[in-house]
Amino acid sequence: MNPKLRDVAEHAGVSVRTVSNVVNGFRYVAPATRERVQASIDALGYRPNLAARTLRRGRTGLVALVVPEIDSPYFAELAARTVRIAERRGLTVLIDQTDGDAEREKELLHGRRSQLVDGVLFSPWAVAPAELAARTDTVPLVLLGEHDGTAGVDHVAIDNVAAAREATGHLLATGRRRIAALGIQPESLNATARQRLAGYREALGDLPRLEIPVRRLHRADGHRAMLELLDCAEPPDAVFCFTDELALGALRAAADRGLTVPDDLALVGFDDIEDGRFSVPALTTVSPDKDRIAELALDCLTAEPGPPRSIVAPHRLVVRGTS
């Protein structure tokens, strides 16, 4: 049974009014009291039904979009599309950022901040499949991107294996044979990199593999990894980067070493962010259909309850100047 306000009040040794003030964000509560009440809320698993109290019609019209990095160009572009499409459906999107932190993702996964929303679009990087399976919050959840072992949860993603296979196959078709994969994250639970690595390996077959890990997926990480690749005894003649940010960093590293792209080194990225269209040369990339991803995810949130859906969104390879 869901604990009541009075249960939290008794546990914390305060009045019901004080608990109500904390739950509703009333500013004039002593910090020590607020901390004690919040500890009781967490210990008892109290989930206030704020949505029902706020709108008696049974829904808030609010949807949460939870992403690892809002300043990542890919997630920023996806968020912008989600906001526009949601607005046409009469919904408002609240955006939250986890920084890929496991504890923060767990809090959001288990409903710590879902009391005011009708559903959550969630792109986790750090939570394990078991944590997803153990979710108890009843607010509708849709996962975005590749994740392993997510039975029981709606899921919208492109086919990352096929997309990576196409990107690597394109490089092979241009005559490249020493093709590196840049973007492996051995310490991350995010399955996207594993899916893209699988597609890269499928395309290469028996050809030599050059697989280099990165800590993050930013330009600086791509720059460092590309310099490391170029210092190899037999450097690559092409690189498949798991994100456009990594590819832009790699492009800068190639320029720093005096290489000409694509003559000396071909590059393919992933995400089709706007920056890649204005790099010199412009970036060849896998382009996920971000509008369709947002539409499909919102469809899942507003659909009638049913069996978990795993929906594949479209993508395409956009060939530009780097290959």
Side-chain angles (χ1 to χ4, degrees), residues 33-56:
T33 301
R34 185 183 302 277
E35 186 174 325
R36 187 163 76 253
V37 170
Q38 187 61 58
S40 294
I41 289 172
D42 293 342
L44 296 176
Y46 173 70
R47 294 289 179 263
N49 190 4
L50 298 180
R53 291 191 322 210
T54 304
L55 288 178
R56 295 187 181 276

Side-chain angles (χ1 to χ4, degrees), residues 186-292:
E187 298 179 3
S188 174
L189 292 174
N190 180 9
T192 300
R194 293 194 295 275
Q195 299 284 349
R196 294 177 186 176
L197 178 62
Y200 160 82
R201 288 176 173 176
E202 286 182 15
L204 278 189
D206 295 330
L207 290 174
R209 299 174 185 167
L210 295 170
E211 301 170 356
I212 186 163
V214 294
R215 190 177 67 85
R216 305 286 282 184
L217 301 172
H218 301 158
R219 295 170 179 83
D221 300 279
H223 186 270
R224 284 191 294 269
M226 188 70 246
L227 291 177
E228 185 177 335
L229 281 169
L230 293 176
D231 286 335
C232 292
E234 295 184 70
D237 57 11
V239 182
F240 166 47
C241 299
F242 289 6
T243 71
D244 280 357
E245 283 195 82
L246 291 173
L248 291 171
L251 183 62
R252 174 57 188 266
D256 290 346
R257 290 292 178 87
L259 300 179
T260 300
V261 175
D263 295 340
D264 300 322
L265 179 74
L267 289 173
V268 175
F270 207 115
D271 289 338
D272 194 19
I273 64 174
E274 187 176 16
D275 288 356
R277 299 167 211 162
F278 292 92
S279 62
V280 181
L283 189 61
T284 295
T285 185
V286 173
S287 179
D289 190 335
K290 302 181 189 78
D291 284 315
R292 191 64 182 139

Side-chain angles (χ1 to χ4, degrees), residues 132-133 148-154 308:
L132 289 165
D148 294 332
T150 53
V153 182
D154 285 344

Side-chain angles (χ1 to χ4, degrees), residues 96-115:
D96 207 339
Q97 173 176 283
T98 65
D99 292 314
D101 179 75
E103 290 306 313
R104 185 169 174 79
E105 289 188 356
K106 288 176 185 177
E107 285 184 0
L108 291 163
L109 185 66
H110 293 292
R112 177 71 177 270
R113 301 184 184 181
S114 65
Q115 301 97 332

